[in-house]
Amino acid sequence: MPAPYNRPMPDSNAWLFGPQVALHRARQSLGSAEHDQILQTLDVSQPSGQRILTLRDQVFSGQKINTSENRAVGHWALRLVVAGRHAGVSTEGLAQHFAPDQEDLLPRFSAQDQRVAAFVEDLRSGKVRSAKGLGYTTIVHLGIGGSDLGPHLLIDALAGNRQNHPIQAKFLSNLDYHAVQHCLAELDPNTTLVAMVSKSFTTQETLHNSQHLYQWMKDAGIANPLEQFVAITNRTDLALRWGITEDQTFWFDQSIGGRYSLWGPVSLTARAVLGNAVVDEVLAGGLEMDQHFLNTPLLKNLPAVLAATDFYNLRHRKIPTLMVSAYDSRLSLLVPYLKQLWMESLGKHTDQQGRPIQGPACPILWGDIGTNAQHAFFQLLHQGGQGVAVDLIGTVHPEHDAVESHQALLANLIAQAQALSLGYESSDPNKSCWGGHPVHLFMLDRLNARSLGAFLCMWEHRVICLAALTGVNPFDQWGVELGKAIAGSAIAAMREDSTKHLTPNGQPIAHQIDAVSQSIIDWIKQR
C-alpha cells in the first residue's frame, strides 16, 4: 500500500546538541542523502542560511525587526539580568546592552528584576501583608495568552510537592464567569493577592475578571481591595490610574511580546510559588541556549537544524501538522504554551515586505501528554494515512523512585518513535500501519529549572529560524487584534442599539459586526 510519504530507514548516526537534548536523524531522513538535503538549507553560502544568520543578529543587536509595529525584540535581554545576581552564570558571547532607541534598557530591566525579586521575598516571608494584616496564602493570576501560559507552565513543571510552597497560585484567564466561580470557590479573600498581567493594561478578559475579584473582596468587607492587587504591564500609567499603587506596579518594555515574556516580571507569580532561585535557574538555562544559538555553526545548531527539518517537512514532504507529545506529566501545559508560541508567531501569509509567501509558514502544532495521547489519537497517526511530523519528549531521570513505572513510560516513548517511523506490514491490511512519520526524539537528562529554560528558549530560536526561512515577521499578531476589535463592537451591540455601528446606507463600519453577526445578537437578545 502506498504510504503518505517516504518511510525513513534506520541510521545509526546521531548528533548531540548540548548536554541534555539529543536529535537522532535515524527517525527523520531516508539515510544520509536526504539528511544532507535537509541540511543544505543551513549552508551559509546559500540565501537561506544567510537569512537565518541575519535575522538572528538583528534580534540580538536590538534592531527594529518587528516592522509592522516598528519595534525591536527584547525578550532575550530579560535573560541577561540573571547574571547580575546568580553566581556562575556566564554571558560570554552575548550582547551586553539593548538599545533600540539609543538608550540602553538593560539597567531598567535589571532594576525591575530586582524589584520583583525583592517583592517576592517579602511576599514569601510574610512581610507583605493583606489589607487586614494577614500573610498571603494564594495569588490569583489574571492574564491570558502569553500573560498566563508561561508562568503557569513553570509552576506545573517545577513545583513538585506543592504543599511545600508558602504561596499557592490560581490562574484565571477565561472570560467565562463559570471559571471565576470555580477559581474563587475555596479561596479566602483576606489572604489572596491578585496579580493583573497585561502588557497594554486594556486586555478585556483581564479587566473583566479583575472587576469580579474586586467586588468579591469588597463583599468580604475589605475596604480598599486594590491594596491586594499588583500589576505587571508596559502601561504603568494605566495601572496607576486604575488605582494600583506604584510600589505594587511592575514594568516591562513594549519590545517584550506576550508569548516571549515568561523571562521577566510576567513570571512574578511563578517566583512567588517556586522561589526566586528556581526561576533564576530557568533564565540561566535560557542563557545557555542563547550562547549555543549564537556561537554554534548552523550545521550543528539545534534550533537551526530543527527549523530546517520543519521547513523540509512542510514544503517538500507537504506535511501540514506537527504533533508534540511529552512523556512527562509535569509538562501537561507544554503543548498549550508551544501552540501559542508557534502559531501566533508563524501563522502568517505574507513576508516582512507584505508579499505573499509561497506556502504555509509553519505546520499546525497540536498534541497531548504521553501516554494519554496513545489512547486518544495515535490510532489516526498509525493507520489514518495523514502526514504528521512528530516531536516526542522524555526525561531520563525522574524525580521519584518508582523505577519500573518510569522504565515502562520510557519504553512506550521509544516504542512509539519506532512505530510511527517504521510502521508495520501485515498480510491483513486492517492490521498494517503506515509508518513514515518523521520523528524528533528529545531526551532531557532531568526536567529541572535549567533544562526547562534551555528547552523553551530553544523553541523560541526554532521559531526565529523558521521565520527567517519563510520570510515572515514572528513578532506581531494582527489576526488576534482583528478578533479583539470585532468583539468590542459586538459587546457594544449586545448592550445598545446596534444600528449605531452601521453607515447611513446600512453597511457595517470597518472591523465592526456584519449583518449575520447582528442577526445572531438580535436573536440572543430576544431570548
Side-chain angles (χ1 to χ4, degrees):
M1 61 182 177
Y5 38 88
N6 290 332
R7 172 180 297 159
M9 299 302 292
D11 187 321
S12 61
N13 294 317
W15 283 337
L16 293 179
F17 296 84
Q20 294 170 310
V21 184
L23 169 75
H24 292 272
R25 75 183 189 183
R27 302 299 189 203
Q28 192 63 231
S29 309
L30 275 167
S32 296
E34 188 176 31
H35 195 65
D36 292 343
Q37 187 178 354
I38 293 172
L39 296 184
Q40 186 177 7
T41 304
L42 303 178
D43 189 332
V44 295
S45 68
Q46 300 296 317
S48 53
Q50 281 300 312
R51 287 200 300 271
I52 292 177
L53 294 178
T54 298
L55 184 57
R56 180 188 70 180
D57 293 345
Q58 288 173 332
V59 168
F60 283 89
S61 63
Q63 296 184 41
K64 293 186 177 181
I65 55 173
N66 181 356
T67 52
S68 72
E69 297 178 290
N70 192 33
R71 291 176 182 170
V73 176
H75 61 274
W76 58 272
L78 293 172
R79 298 190 278 266
L80 291 174
V81 302
V82 72
R85 56 188 176 85
H86 192 297
V89 175
S90 170
T91 58
E92 183 179 355
L94 303 178
Q96 300 301 311
H97 65 278
F98 175 62
D101 291 303
Q102 283 69 58
E103 176 197 0
D104 186 3
L105 293 178
L106 274 185
R108 291 187 68 188
F109 287 6
S110 181
Q112 289 299 311
D113 174 71
Q114 291 170 18
R115 286 189 65 228
V116 170
F119 180 82
V120 164
E121 291 297 335
D122 289 345
L123 183 64
R124 287 169 62 88
S125 69
K127 184 177 179 180
V128 173
R129 305 185 80 79
S130 71
K132 294 189 177 181
L134 302 174
Y136 288 110
T137 60
T138 306
I139 296 180
V140 175
H141 183 107
L142 301 183
I144 195 166
S147 296
D148 166 82
L149 290 167
H152 201 170
L153 169 61
L154 295 186
I155 291 172
D156 256 34
L158 302 174
N161 183 354
R162 298 190 182 202
Q163 299 306 312
N164 296 331
H165 298 285
I167 305 283
Q168 304 299 310
K170 296 282 188 178
F171 285 82
L172 186 55
S173 58
N174 202 299
L175 192 57
D176 188 346
Y177 186 67
H178 294 103
V180 178
Q181 290 178 311
H182 180 74
C183 175
L184 301 182
E186 298 179 359
L187 299 186
D188 180 355
N190 296 297
T191 59
T192 297
L193 180 71
V194 178
M196 292 179 65
V197 185
S198 171
K199 180 177 177 178
S200 66
F201 216 76
T202 60
T203 307
Q204 183 185 98
E205 293 88 349
T206 302
L207 294 181
H208 266 285
N209 287 337
S210 67
Q211 295 286 357
H212 292 309
L213 267 75
Y214 180 94
Q215 192 60 48
W216 173 66
M217 290 181 174
K218 197 78 173 175
D219 292 343
I222 298 173
N224 182 14
L226 291 180
E227 292 180 22
Q228 297 184 197
F229 279 64
V230 299
I232 300 98
T233 181
N234 172 247
R235 293 298 305 274
T236 56
D237 58 324
L238 296 183
L240 295 173
R241 193 181 309 164
W242 206 77
I244 299 177
T245 61
E246 186 173 3
D247 63 336
Q248 294 193 176
T249 299
F250 303 92
W251 168 86
F252 63 96
D253 189 56
Q254 65 175 358
S255 65
I256 314 299
R259 56 192 177 275
Y260 300 97
S261 66
L262 68 84
W263 312 99
V266 166
S267 286
L268 181 149
T269 300
R271 287 184 175 275
V273 173
L274 302 171
N276 283 316
V278 173
V279 179
D280 282 354
E281 279 288 294
V282 174
L283 270 64
L287 277 178
E288 290 180 340
M289 184 55 67
D290 286 334
Q291 290 169 318
H292 169 80
F293 183 47
L294 282 167
N295 301 322
T296 306
L298 293 186
L299 289 174
K300 296 285 187 178
N301 192 304
L302 177 57
V305 171
L306 291 171
T309 308
D310 295 325
F311 186 76
Y312 187 87
N313 289 336
L314 182 67
R315 296 292 184 85
H316 295 280
R317 288 174 171 152
K318 307 298 182 184
I319 300 175
T321 76
L322 171 63
M323 193 285 293
V324 179
S325 185
Y327 280 66
D328 191 311
S329 61
R330 295 169 292 176
L331 292 174
S332 61
L333 290 179
L334 179 65
V335 167
Y337 175 83
L338 293 179
K339 281 193 295 187
Q340 189 204 13
L341 174 65
W342 189 252
M343 292 190 285
E344 193 166 87
S345 298
L346 298 169
K348 314 291 171 61
H349 69 283
T350 59
D351 66 13
Q352 290 268 31
Q353 288 72 44
R355 300 170 302 200
I357 61 174
Q358 301 302 310
C362 73
I364 296 170
L365 192 151
W366 60 289
D368 200 357
I369 205 78
T371 57
N372 295 19
Q374 294 175 200
H375 295 270
F377 53 77
F378 270 40
Q379 168 61 34
L380 179 142
L381 301 182
H382 290 303
Q383 291 192 306
Q386 291 93 336
V388 179
V390 176
D391 277 12
L392 301 177
I393 304 151
T395 55
V396 177
H397 297 98
E399 304 304 317
H400 59 70
D401 296 324
V403 176
E404 292 185 357
S405 291
H406 194 63
Q407 289 174 337
L409 181 67
L410 292 182
N412 274 269
L413 168 66
I414 294 166
Q416 291 299 324
Q418 175 178 320
L420 290 166
S421 177
L422 302 182
Y424 170 74
E425 292 189 14
S426 171
S427 57
D428 181 352
N430 291 306
K431 297 180 180 180
S432 291
C433 298
W434 292 105
H437 295 281
V439 177
H440 287 136
L441 176 60
F442 300 89
M443 294 302 301
L444 305 179
D445 184 41
R446 292 184 183 275
L447 177 56
N448 56 30
R450 191 167 287 216
S451 68
L452 181 60
F455 190 73
L456 297 181
C457 185
M458 177 272 291
W459 269 90
E460 290 181 353
H461 297 329
R462 183 176 180 177
V463 165
I464 288 172
C465 292
L466 189 53
L469 293 176
T470 56
V472 302
N473 177 2
F475 305 112
D476 62 9
Q477 57 280 329
W478 291 106
V480 176
E481 301 305 321
L482 172 61
K484 290 179 181 178
I486 298 174
S489 299
I491 289 172
M494 296 280 281
R495 297 173 179 173
E496 61 182 45
D497 180 2
S498 57
T499 60
K500 295 179 182 178
H501 302 280
L502 301 178
T503 62
N505 64 357
Q507 297 300 310
I509 300 171
H511 286 186
Q512 307 299 329
I513 56 172
D514 68 356
V516 174
S517 296
Q518 183 59 57
S519 67
I520 295 169
I521 290 170
D522 291 341
W523 181 84
I524 292 172
K525 283 183 174 181
Q526 292 169 4
R527 297 179 71 86

